[in-house]
């Protein structure tokens, strides 16, 4: 008797042929983005690394970009998908400007648009493999939100993606407060980025900090954090360890 | 207007550069019962006259809520108005869903105008036979727009459309400079008074008019009959006292609303030297 194996029709999303039509895994990825609200607007930080698996391959990737007049977008995850998102947003802002009517899309609108895009792609089993941070100021109102590749979205006073959620957010929960000055905000972000640099394998020591206020966006020149590797625990990591770990 | 050899299709120009079918569509607006709108810095009020066909029937709905921050009053072919309201509601809800933000009034109005323009340039379509007064609030303030069957739109401080709208326009022209700083309640009063002008002597009561308001912190809604009647009652009595002072030839202030109506009308036509603001 024939053993009738069940066969996927070619036009389903789950067969090998159609796999070439959808994202299965990311290739060149960026790691954490961290952002917080401060007195005049939003501060955001991201390093400039583009990893190719475990190789730290590209070291000058700009992972934060201004969007329109009022927003700043930071992304972690697949870099090519981030570039695709930038193209979508470029078109969105273009059409917004073409109305030429004094109205403009603010950070809240851009964030929700991105949520729709990410969620709809997730529903088609063809996600944009990114975690996005969208911050901005419009008419004095500060806005900071995040969207993930599965469409999970929310707003908060400080957000992070990837490892930043585990290493940076606890620091921010302790030390963030309303109306941080610019210097305090930068200091806080650098503290988070330093911890990520020590502990995240895909972090590189070349980062940018971006600020967005009512006046506009400024993205700093790339720079490096000072690090200290002479901790005694680092010098003899196995001391006091029991067993092979 | 008279029939001529260029008025059969909307896609035929006349030698004078006119599209007669579009102009005929604008005639349809003038035949509909009156609708008025006026705005201040923070509120917009719409009003319309509801004429039922007979005592047995209900009146047609002429004011539609499009979104929390936008409403529309129509004059002309109500069926066309209903369909366009559905389009506007759809546009607003889609925008809200995508951007979680209210659609700016100016953009909705342009979309509506572009939709109307299409019907002036297709041989298999006809222009919409309805004029819309779009009232809304957005980031840039309170707005009142008029959308024409021709595909044109204009922004107004105050406007009236439909039959006998000229009387209301005259009333509004006299007062519009005060509207920007008017309080919400004064704006509503002015709207009801403007409606009264179009009634030409008929008794003003809440059963034959509909008033709707949208404002800062106040979503678009139609005022209920009771509230409207209360407002009518307050100024009917106040107006009697005012009338002898403003009208040189007014009768001694009597309760009769009919007399009220005619006195106000006389006052309107003798005071004004302004040219009729026909479209």
């Amino acid at each position: 008797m024939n053993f009738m194996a069940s066969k996927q029709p070619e036009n389903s999303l789950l067969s090998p042929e159609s796999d070439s039509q959808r994202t299965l895994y990311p290739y060149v990825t960026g790691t954490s983005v961290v952002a917080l609200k401060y007195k005049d607007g939003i501060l955001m930080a991201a390093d400039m690394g583009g990893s190719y698996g475990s190789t730290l391959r590209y070291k000058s990737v700009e992972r934060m970009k201004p969007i329109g007049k009022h927003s700043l977008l930071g992304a972690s995850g697949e870099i090519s998908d981030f570039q695709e998102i930038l193209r979508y947003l470029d078109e969105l802002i273009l059409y917004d400007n073409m109305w030429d009517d004094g109205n403009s899309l603010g950070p809240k609108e851009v964030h929700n648009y991105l949520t729709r895009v990410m969620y709809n792609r997730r529903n088609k089993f063809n996600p944009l493999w990114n975690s996005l941070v969208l911050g901005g100021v419009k008419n004095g109102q500060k806005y900071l939100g995040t969207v993930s590749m599965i469409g999970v979205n929310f707003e908060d006073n400080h957000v992070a993606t990837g490892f930043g959620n585990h290493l940076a957010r606890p620091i921010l929960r302790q030390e963030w407060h309303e109306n941080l000055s610019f210097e305090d905000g930068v200091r806080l972000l650098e503290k988070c980025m330093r911890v990520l640099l020590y502990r995240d394998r895909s972090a590189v020591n070349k980062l940018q900090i971006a600020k967005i206020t009512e006046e506009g966006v400024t993205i700093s020149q790339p720079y490096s954090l000072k690090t200290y590797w002479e901790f005694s625990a680092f010098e003899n990591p196995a001391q006091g360890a029991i067993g092979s770990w | 207007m008279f029939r001529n050899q260029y008025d059969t299709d909307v896609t035929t120009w006349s030698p004078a550069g006119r599209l007669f079918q579009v102009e005929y569509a604008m005639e349809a607006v003038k035949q509909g019962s009156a609708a008025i709108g006026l705005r201040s810095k923070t509120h917009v009020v719409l009003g319309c006259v509801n004429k039922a066909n007979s005592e047995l029937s209900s009146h047609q709905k002429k004011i539609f809520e499009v979104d929390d921050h936008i409403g529309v009053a129509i004059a002309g072919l109500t069926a066309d108005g209903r369909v366009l309201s559905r389009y506007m509601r759809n546009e607003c809800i889609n925008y809200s869903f995508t951007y979680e933000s209210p659609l700016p009034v100016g953009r909705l109005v342009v979309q509506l105008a572009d939709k109307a323009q299409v019907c002036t340039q297709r041989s298999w379509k006809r222009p919409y036979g309805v004029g819309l007064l779009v009232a809304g609030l957005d980031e840039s303030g309170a707005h009142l727009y008029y959308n024409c069957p021709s595909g044109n739109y204009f922004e107004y401080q105050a406007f009236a459309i439909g039959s006998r709208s000229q009387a209301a326009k005259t009333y509004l022209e006299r007062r519009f400079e005060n509207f920007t700083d008017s309080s919400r309640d004064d704006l509503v009063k002015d709207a009801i008074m403007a409606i009264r002008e179009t009634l030409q002597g008929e008794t003003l009561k809440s059963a034959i008019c509909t008033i709707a308001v949208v404002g800062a912190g106040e979503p678009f809604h139609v005022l209920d009959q009771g509230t409207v009647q209360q407002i009518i009652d307050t100024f009917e009595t106040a107006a009697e006292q005012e009338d002898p002072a403003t009208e040189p030839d007014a009768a001694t202030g009597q309760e009769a609303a009919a007399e009220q109506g005619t006195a106000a009308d006389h006052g309107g036509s003798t005071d004004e030297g302004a040219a009729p603001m026909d479209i």
Side-chain angles (χ1 to χ4, degrees):
Chain A
M1 188 160 121
N2 275 339
F3 178 59
M4 302 284 265
S6 69
K7 189 172 171 288
Q8 298 277 14
E10 280 301 312
N11 59 6
S12 91
L13 285 170
L14 302 173
S15 64
E17 174 74 25
S18 55
D19 279 355
S20 64
Q21 306 293 322
R22 64 194 184 98
T23 303
L24 296 173
Y25 4 79
Y27 284 89
V28 180
T29 56
T31 184
S32 323
V33 178
V34 191
L36 47 79
K37 282 188 192 167
Y38 79 108
K39 184 162 55 85
D40 305 324
I42 312 290
L43 280 167
M44 197 185 293
D47 69 22
M48 299 192 74
S51 304
Y52 187 64
S54 54
T55 307
L56 302 180
R57 187 155 170 195
Y58 303 104
K59 305 203 188 149
S60 293
V61 180
E62 282 196 32
R63 298 196 290 115
M64 297 182 295
K65 293 284 184 185
I67 309 292
K69 281 197 294 254
H70 308 284
S71 314
L72 180 63
L73 176 67
S76 66
E78 174 61 58
I79 299 299
S80 64
D81 282 350
F82 175 50
Q83 290 170 348
E84 183 80 347
I85 288 169
L86 290 176
R87 273 194 335 100
Y88 283 149
L89 290 176
D90 191 46
E91 198 174 306
L92 182 74
I93 300 294
L94 181 73
Y95 281 113
D96 189 41
N97 290 339
M98 268 166 51
W99 281 98
D100 195 21
D101 66 353
N103 290 305
S104 55
L105 293 171
K108 181 185 175 123
E109 289 80 20
V110 176
H111 182 224
N112 279 287
Y113 171 79
L114 287 171
T115 304
R116 288 295 116 231
V117 171
M118 301 300 272
Y119 184 63
N120 278 316
R121 289 288 297 254
R122 164 260 196 206
N123 284 341
K124 296 195 278 198
F125 277 90
N126 183 202
L128 288 159
W129 207 285
N130 294 109
S131 284
L132 305 169
V133 172
L134 198 297
V137 195
K138 191 175 179 210
N139 298 335
Q141 293 272 69
K142 302 191 280 261
Y143 187 91
L144 182 59
T146 179
V147 201
S148 76
M149 67 188 257
I150 56 171
V152 174
N153 74 300
F154 53 90
E155 288 172 59
D156 208 337
N157 293 318
H158 47 81
V159 296
T161 67
F163 262 83
N165 276 310
H166 301 107
L167 300 174
R169 298 267 337 262
I171 301 175
L172 293 166
R173 283 185 202 114
Q174 283 280 76
E175 303 193 20
W176 183 90
H177 58 86
E178 286 282 3
N179 291 318
L180 280 164
S181 71
F182 174 73
E183 290 75 24
D184 284 344
V186 171
R187 202 170 301 132
L188 192 47
L189 275 182
E190 283 184 348
K191 184 171 181 178
C192 296
M193 295 306 279
R194 188 170 287 109
V195 172
L196 286 166
L197 181 58
Y198 283 130
R199 296 295 178 177
D200 181 2
R201 239 176 38 150
S202 15
V204 300
N205 195 3
K206 184 174 172 194
L207 69 144
Q208 291 177 301
I209 297 207
K211 112 169 133 77
I212 180 165
T213 63
E214 194 77 56
E215 281 80 55
V217 174
T218 322
I219 304 184
S220 74
Q221 286 293 91
Y223 69 103
S224 303
L225 295 170
K226 288 203 182 56
T227 54
Y228 181 71
W229 297 98
E230 307 329 303
F231 290 111
S232 57
F234 290 169
E235 284 181 354
N236 200 356
Q239 181 171 58
I242 301 163
S244 58
W245 285 96
Chain B
M1 271 189 255
F2 297 108
R3 278 233 65 200
N4 55 74
Q5 49 180 199
Y6 309 108
D7 70 356
T8 306
D9 299 314
V10 73
T11 47
T12 305
W13 287 101
S14 84
R18 294 161 72 169
L19 289 169
F20 280 101
Q21 279 295 310
V22 176
E23 295 185 25
Y24 294 166
M26 307 216 282
E27 274 306 307
V29 178
K30 294 183 201 163
Q31 302 303 328
S33 53
I36 61 108
L38 30 99
R39 66 147 193 215
S40 72
K41 218 179 349 209
T42 54
H43 288 77
V44 195
V45 180
L46 291 173
C48 69
V49 171
N50 305 324
K51 283 299 175 57
N53 276 338
S54 78
E55 277 185 30
L56 298 171
S57 82
S58 65
H59 62 80
Q60 284 191 313
K61 187 165 167 184
K62 285 163 48 81
I63 295 192
F64 298 90
E65 183 192 320
V66 166
D67 200 341
D68 286 335
H69 67 298
I70 301 182
V72 63
I74 63 170
L77 265 54
T78 7
D80 283 2
R82 201 180 57 240
V83 156
L84 287 177
S85 299
R86 191 185 313 136
Y87 168 74
M88 292 166 79
R89 285 171 177 168
N90 220 33
E91 291 300 301
C92 280
I93 212 169
N94 286 340
Y95 188 92
S96 272
F97 176 70
T98 309
Y99 301 104
E100 259 206 48
S101 226
L103 176 58
V105 196
R107 293 197 179 182
L108 178 62
V109 159
V110 173
Q111 282 173 260
L112 197 55
D114 288 348
K115 194 171 163 69
Q117 190 280 341
V118 169
C119 298
T120 68
Q121 209 176 4
R122 303 283 184 270
S123 60
W124 63 90
K125 286 182 185 263
R126 64 157 177 81
Y128 287 104
V130 65
L132 301 108
L133 284 171
V134 183
L137 221 70
D138 59 26
E139 254 179 26
S140 49
H143 299 279
L144 174 69
Y145 289 93
Y146 172 55
N147 276 75
C148 228
S150 61
N152 285 323
Y153 67 95
F154 310 92
E155 185 158 12
Y156 286 97
Q157 189 69 40
F159 199 49
I161 57 177
S163 73
R164 292 188 282 205
S165 58
Q166 188 47 54
K169 268 187 235 167
T170 312
Y171 174 85
L172 294 169
E173 267 174 42
R174 256 188 289 149
R175 310 258 181 134
F176 78 93
E177 264 143 4
N178 302 325
F179 289 162
T180 310
D181 297 313
S182 228
S183 74
R184 174 210 184 270
D185 293 333
D186 284 340
L187 214 63
V188 173
K189 273 200 199 102
D190 275 317
I192 298 177
M193 309 256 259
I195 295 276
R196 191 174 62 173
E197 298 297 311
T198 68
L199 293 172
Q200 308 283 43
E202 219 185 299
T203 320
L204 172 68
K205 43 188 203 281
S206 63
I208 54 168
C209 70
T210 307
I211 305 287
V213 190
V214 64
E218 190 179 350
F220 184 88
H221 64 286
V222 173
L223 299 182
D224 73 283
Q225 299 280 55
T227 319
V228 177
Q229 191 57 52
Q230 272 179 344
I231 303 175
I232 293 174
D233 294 336
T234 50
F235 70 68
E236 291 277 83
T237 39
E240 285 155 34
Q241 288 141 23
E242 196 189 281
D243 251 346
T246 55
E247 252 61 67
D249 53 315
T252 48
Q254 283 307 303
E255 276 65 39
E259 219 186 282
Q260 207 66 263
T262 41
D265 253 345
H266 275 299
S269 46
T270 48
D271 278 2
E272 259 330 80
M277 192 169 67
D278 225 339
I279 299 159

